[in-house]
Amino acid sequence: DFLLKNKQDLVIPYLEHIIMVWYEDQPLFHNTLIVQYKDAILKRVEENGEVVDINDFARKKLVKFIRTSKEYDPSVVLSKFPYNLLYEERAILLGKAERYREALIIYIHVLHDLESALKFCDELHIDHKGEIYQNLVSLLVQPPLQSEVPGLELKTSNCRPPDLDSAIDILEKYGADMDLVMILESLPANANLCKLDKFLELAISSKVCIRNEISVVRGLLHSEHLRVQEERIDLESSKVIISEFTFCGVCGKRFTSQSAFVRQTNGAISHYSCALFLFSPRHNKTYT
């Protein structure tokens, strides 16, 4: 707080030092450094009228930090970023906040950068990646709604025109992980199904394969269930009769009315205490 009020020019060097040299991991410092990077860039734009493109050193440093740091809160940082500048940074932050569709909208319909959108999808380490590629395909064939990107002005005239060919290329590579029905619903009515033959073949064969695997697993589980039931019935059908002429198979003594007993798998009967002795490392017999 002192530096922010009295020595503004020392804030960034100080934060860089404690984070990158001392490995400070408190979110407050990481959040503040990102905001300071952003403010320094916007100051150049607003006061000097500079065009600070993505290859500028300051923006490269900002992009690298928000990509690599895991300690900041993306939702908090996003609220500090402008809606009309620094689109690449906003897309990365949206991805960190798990707002993947909004990030893809920026890549496709604001930056018109399909290569970065594909790279964004490829680098995600999540279980439902098929859903992400599904969003990418739908955004390539139809523009998003303004309500999907609150705060960001999305003009239809500036949106990327429908690109069915690129969408089909993505479907052919990643279609096996997508929802076939939802993909077909998102495609325009005039889409040429002949171009989709490879995707449809891949998607359908994948669904059939999954269905076959489920059938096999179901059959194996049913067989295991029947085996267990047969074993249970067999075990329950056998009985143990203990009389005054029944002797322990271990100690040779008779059983009293209060004796706890164990039945060995070969049918021999023994006292419970005797069975515990046999369970010791010196004796390795199986009892039920």
Side-chain angles (χ1 to χ4, degrees), residues 102-123:
E102 291 179 58
L104 289 174
I105 290 173
I106 291 178
Y107 282 123
I108 298 298
H109 294 288
V110 177
L111 298 173
H112 302 281
D113 189 350
L114 177 57
E115 183 178 348
S116 293
L118 285 168
K119 184 179 179 181
F120 171 80
C121 294
D122 292 340
E123 291 178 349

mmCIF file of all heavy atoms in Angstrom, residues 102-123:
data_model
loop_
_atom_site.group_PDB
_atom_site.id
_atom_site.type_symbol
_atom_site.label_atom_id
_atom_site.label_comp_id
_atom_site.label_asym_id
_atom_site.label_seq_id
_atom_site.Cartn_x
_atom_site.Cartn_y
_atom_site.Cartn_z
ATOM 1 N N GLU A 102 -16.692 -18.331 -23.701
ATOM 2 C CA GLU A 102 -16.429 -16.901 -23.847
ATOM 3 C C GLU A 102 -15.025 -16.658 -24.403
ATOM 4 O O GLU A 102 -14.816 -15.770 -25.238
ATOM 5 C CB GLU A 102 -16.595 -16.195 -22.505
ATOM 6 C CG GLU A 102 -18.019 -16.141 -21.996
ATOM 7 C CD GLU A 102 -18.125 -15.461 -20.659
ATOM 8 O OE1 GLU A 102 -17.707 -14.283 -20.555
ATOM 9 O OE2 GLU A 102 -18.608 -16.087 -19.698
ATOM 10 N N ALA A 103 -14.075 -17.444 -23.943
ATOM 11 C CA ALA A 103 -12.707 -17.307 -24.461
ATOM 12 C C ALA A 103 -12.666 -17.626 -25.955
ATOM 13 O O ALA A 103 -12.025 -16.916 -26.750
ATOM 14 C CB ALA A 103 -11.770 -18.234 -23.691
ATOM 15 N N LEU A 104 -13.366 -18.684 -26.357
ATOM 16 C CA LEU A 104 -13.392 -19.061 -27.777
ATOM 17 C C LEU A 104 -14.088 -18.000 -28.618
ATOM 18 O O LEU A 104 -13.703 -17.769 -29.776
ATOM 19 C CB LEU A 104 -14.082 -20.420 -27.936
ATOM 20 C CG LEU A 104 -13.298 -21.627 -27.428
ATOM 21 C CD1 LEU A 104 -14.156 -22.886 -27.503
ATOM 22 C CD2 LEU A 104 -12.015 -21.814 -28.225
ATOM 23 N N ILE A 105 -15.108 -17.364 -28.072
ATOM 24 C CA ILE A 105 -15.787 -16.287 -28.808
ATOM 25 C C ILE A 105 -14.810 -15.174 -29.128
ATOM 26 O O ILE A 105 -14.804 -14.624 -30.236
ATOM 27 C CB ILE A 105 -16.995 -15.764 -27.992
ATOM 28 C CG1 ILE A 105 -18.107 -16.814 -27.960
ATOM 29 C CG2 ILE A 105 -17.520 -14.458 -28.591
ATOM 30 C CD1 ILE A 105 -19.267 -16.459 -27.047
ATOM 31 N N ILE A 106 -13.968 -14.835 -28.168
ATOM 32 C CA ILE A 106 -12.975 -13.777 -28.410
ATOM 33 C C ILE A 106 -11.988 -14.206 -29.494
ATOM 34 O O ILE A 106 -11.676 -13.440 -30.419
ATOM 35 C CB ILE A 106 -12.247 -13.421 -27.105
ATOM 36 C CG1 ILE A 106 -13.202 -12.709 -26.145
ATOM 37 C CG2 ILE A 106 -11.022 -12.551 -27.385
ATOM 38 C CD1 ILE A 106 -12.607 -12.346 -24.808
ATOM 39 N N TYR A 107 -11.478 -15.440 -29.385
ATOM 40 C CA TYR A 107 -10.516 -15.906 -30.391
ATOM 41 C C TYR A 107 -11.127 -15.940 -31.791
ATOM 42 O O TYR A 107 -10.486 -15.535 -32.773
ATOM 43 C CB TYR A 107 -10.019 -17.303 -30.021
ATOM 44 C CG TYR A 107 -8.978 -17.334 -28.923
ATOM 45 C CD1 TYR A 107 -9.181 -18.072 -27.767
ATOM 46 C CD2 TYR A 107 -7.785 -16.625 -29.044
ATOM 47 C CE1 TYR A 107 -8.234 -18.107 -26.749
ATOM 48 C CE2 TYR A 107 -6.825 -16.656 -28.043
ATOM 49 C CZ TYR A 107 -7.058 -17.394 -26.904
ATOM 50 O OH TYR A 107 -6.116 -17.420 -25.902
ATOM 51 N N ILE A 108 -12.364 -16.419 -31.899
ATOM 52 C CA ILE A 108 -12.974 -16.626 -33.219
ATOM 53 C C ILE A 108 -13.587 -15.355 -33.778
ATOM 54 O O ILE A 108 -13.365 -15.001 -34.948
ATOM 55 C CB ILE A 108 -14.044 -17.745 -33.145
ATOM 56 C CG1 ILE A 108 -13.409 -19.068 -32.738
ATOM 57 C CG2 ILE A 108 -14.754 -17.902 -34.489
ATOM 58 C CD1 ILE A 108 -12.373 -19.583 -33.700
ATOM 59 N N HIS A 109 -14.360 -14.631 -32.978
ATOM 60 C CA HIS A 109 -15.169 -13.533 -33.515
ATOM 61 C C HIS A 109 -14.650 -12.140 -33.185
ATOM 62 O O HIS A 109 -15.196 -11.157 -33.695
ATOM 63 C CB HIS A 109 -16.616 -13.682 -33.032
ATOM 64 C CG HIS A 109 -17.296 -14.885 -33.586
ATOM 65 N ND1 HIS A 109 -17.697 -14.973 -34.916
ATOM 66 C CD2 HIS A 109 -17.633 -16.070 -33.019
ATOM 67 C CE1 HIS A 109 -18.259 -16.152 -35.132
ATOM 68 N NE2 HIS A 109 -18.222 -16.842 -34.002
ATOM 69 N N VAL A 110 -13.637 -12.032 -32.348
ATOM 70 C CA VAL A 110 -13.035 -10.730 -32.074
ATOM 71 C C VAL A 110 -11.638 -10.661 -32.679
ATOM 72 O O VAL A 110 -11.310 -9.730 -33.421
ATOM 73 C CB VAL A 110 -12.979 -10.448 -30.557
ATOM 74 C CG1 VAL A 110 -12.285 -9.117 -30.280
ATOM 75 C CG2 VAL A 110 -14.389 -10.434 -29.960
ATOM 76 N N LEU A 111 -10.820 -11.663 -32.382
ATOM 77 C CA LEU A 111 -9.452 -11.690 -32.907
ATOM 78 C C LEU A 111 -9.355 -12.371 -34.262
ATOM 79 O O LEU A 111 -8.342 -12.213 -34.962
ATOM 80 C CB LEU A 111 -8.537 -12.420 -31.906
ATOM 81 C CG LEU A 111 -8.410 -11.775 -30.526
ATOM 82 C CD1 LEU A 111 -7.619 -12.677 -29.584
ATOM 83 C CD2 LEU A 111 -7.750 -10.407 -30.633
ATOM 84 N N HIS A 112 -10.373 -13.140 -34.611
ATOM 85 C CA HIS A 112 -10.371 -13.898 -35.880
ATOM 86 C C HIS A 112 -9.111 -14.751 -35.994
ATOM 87 O O HIS A 112 -8.439 -14.781 -37.021
ATOM 88 C CB HIS A 112 -10.464 -12.945 -37.088
ATOM 89 C CG HIS A 112 -11.674 -12.078 -37.058
ATOM 90 N ND1 HIS A 112 -12.929 -12.519 -37.423
ATOM 91 C CD2 HIS A 112 -11.843 -10.772 -36.672
ATOM 92 C CE1 HIS A 112 -13.813 -11.546 -37.279
ATOM 93 N NE2 HIS A 112 -13.175 -10.474 -36.821
ATOM 94 N N ASP A 113 -8.819 -15.455 -34.918
ATOM 95 C CA ASP A 113 -7.580 -16.230 -34.837
ATOM 96 C C ASP A 113 -7.925 -17.690 -34.524
ATOM 97 O O ASP A 113 -7.926 -18.102 -33.367
ATOM 98 C CB ASP A 113 -6.672 -15.636 -33.753
ATOM 99 C CG ASP A 113 -5.275 -16.243 -33.754
ATOM 100 O OD1 ASP A 113 -5.062 -17.242 -34.456
ATOM 101 O OD2 ASP A 113 -4.407 -15.709 -33.038
ATOM 102 N N LEU A 114 -8.203 -18.458 -35.558
ATOM 103 C CA LEU A 114 -8.575 -19.862 -35.370
ATOM 104 C C LEU A 114 -7.411 -20.677 -34.835
ATOM 105 O O LEU A 114 -7.592 -21.585 -34.016
ATOM 106 C CB LEU A 114 -9.056 -20.455 -36.706
ATOM 107 C CG LEU A 114 -9.423 -21.945 -36.698
ATOM 108 C CD1 LEU A 114 -10.501 -22.239 -35.668
ATOM 109 C CD2 LEU A 114 -9.860 -22.399 -38.089
ATOM 110 N N GLU A 115 -6.197 -20.345 -35.263
ATOM 111 C CA GLU A 115 -5.015 -21.083 -34.800
ATOM 112 C C GLU A 115 -4.866 -20.976 -33.279
ATOM 113 O O GLU A 115 -4.604 -21.975 -32.595
ATOM 114 C CB GLU A 115 -3.764 -20.556 -35.495
ATOM 115 C CG GLU A 115 -2.499 -21.317 -35.139
ATOM 116 C CD GLU A 115 -1.274 -20.801 -35.870
ATOM 117 O OE1 GLU A 115 -1.438 -20.002 -36.815
ATOM 118 O OE2 GLU A 115 -0.149 -21.193 -35.493
ATOM 119 N N SER A 116 -5.050 -19.771 -32.741
ATOM 120 C CA SER A 116 -4.952 -19.592 -31.289
ATOM 121 C C SER A 116 -6.100 -20.298 -30.576
ATOM 122 O O SER A 116 -5.927 -20.813 -29.472
ATOM 123 C CB SER A 116 -4.957 -18.107 -30.931
ATOM 124 O OG SER A 116 -3.775 -17.483 -31.396
ATOM 125 N N ALA A 117 -7.281 -20.320 -31.196
ATOM 126 C CA ALA A 117 -8.426 -21.010 -30.599
ATOM 127 C C ALA A 117 -8.140 -22.503 -30.492
ATOM 128 O O ALA A 117 -8.440 -23.139 -29.479
ATOM 129 C CB ALA A 117 -9.675 -20.762 -31.431
ATOM 130 N N LEU A 118 -7.564 -23.077 -31.550
ATOM 131 C CA LEU A 118 -7.218 -24.501 -31.528
ATOM 132 C C LEU A 118 -6.134 -24.775 -30.493
ATOM 133 O O LEU A 118 -6.190 -25.783 -29.770
ATOM 134 C CB LEU A 118 -6.754 -24.949 -32.912
ATOM 135 C CG LEU A 118 -7.845 -25.119 -33.967
ATOM 136 C CD1 LEU A 118 -7.235 -25.286 -35.357
ATOM 137 C CD2 LEU A 118 -8.730 -26.315 -33.629
ATOM 138 N N LYS A 119 -5.159 -23.897 -30.415
ATOM 139 C CA LYS A 119 -4.089 -24.059 -29.421
ATOM 140 C C LYS A 119 -4.665 -23.974 -28.016
ATOM 141 O O LYS A 119 -4.279 -24.741 -27.124
ATOM 142 C CB LYS A 119 -3.027 -22.979 -29.627
ATOM 143 C CG LYS A 119 -1.828 -23.114 -28.702
ATOM 144 C CD LYS A 119 -0.794 -22.025 -28.982
ATOM 145 C CE LYS A 119 0.390 -22.143 -28.032
ATOM 146 N NZ LYS A 119 1.389 -21.075 -28.273
ATOM 147 N N PHE A 120 -5.607 -23.065 -27.821
ATOM 148 C CA PHE A 120 -6.271 -22.920 -26.526
ATOM 149 C C PHE A 120 -6.959 -24.227 -26.135
ATOM 150 O O PHE A 120 -6.844 -24.694 -24.999
ATOM 151 C CB PHE A 120 -7.281 -21.769 -26.614
ATOM 152 C CG PHE A 120 -8.191 -21.657 -25.417
ATOM 153 C CD1 PHE A 120 -7.762 -21.044 -24.253
ATOM 154 C CD2 PHE A 120 -9.488 -22.161 -25.465
ATOM 155 C CE1 PHE A 120 -8.608 -20.937 -23.150
ATOM 156 C CE2 PHE A 120 -10.337 -22.059 -24.373
ATOM 157 C CZ PHE A 120 -9.892 -21.438 -23.217
ATOM 158 N N CYS A 121 -7.673 -24.830 -27.074
ATOM 159 C CA CYS A 121 -8.363 -26.098 -26.797
ATOM 160 C C CYS A 121 -7.370 -27.223 -26.518
ATOM 161 O O CYS A 121 -7.570 -28.029 -25.595
ATOM 162 C CB CYS A 121 -9.257 -26.482 -27.980
ATOM 163 S SG CYS A 121 -10.640 -25.353 -28.268
ATOM 164 N N ASP A 122 -6.316 -27.279 -27.307
ATOM 165 C CA ASP A 122 -5.330 -28.362 -27.165
ATOM 166 C C ASP A 122 -4.634 -28.313 -25.813
ATOM 167 O O ASP A 122 -4.284 -29.360 -25.247
ATOM 168 C CB ASP A 122 -4.279 -28.277 -28.277
ATOM 169 C CG ASP A 122 -4.857 -28.593 -29.652
ATOM 170 O OD1 ASP A 122 -5.923 -29.237 -29.711
ATOM 171 O OD2 ASP A 122 -4.245 -28.188 -30.658
ATOM 172 N N GLU A 123 -4.410 -27.114 -25.280
ATOM 173 C CA GLU A 123 -3.644 -26.967 -24.050
ATOM 174 C C GLU A 123 -4.482 -27.145 -22.788
ATOM 175 O O GLU A 123 -3.936 -27.186 -21.690
ATOM 176 C CB GLU A 123 -2.970 -25.589 -24.024
ATOM 177 C CG GLU A 123 -1.861 -25.442 -25.062
ATOM 178 C CD GLU A 123 -1.242 -24.059 -25.066
ATOM 179 O OE1 GLU A 123 -1.813 -23.147 -24.416
ATOM 180 O OE2 GLU A 123 -0.204 -23.871 -25.724
#
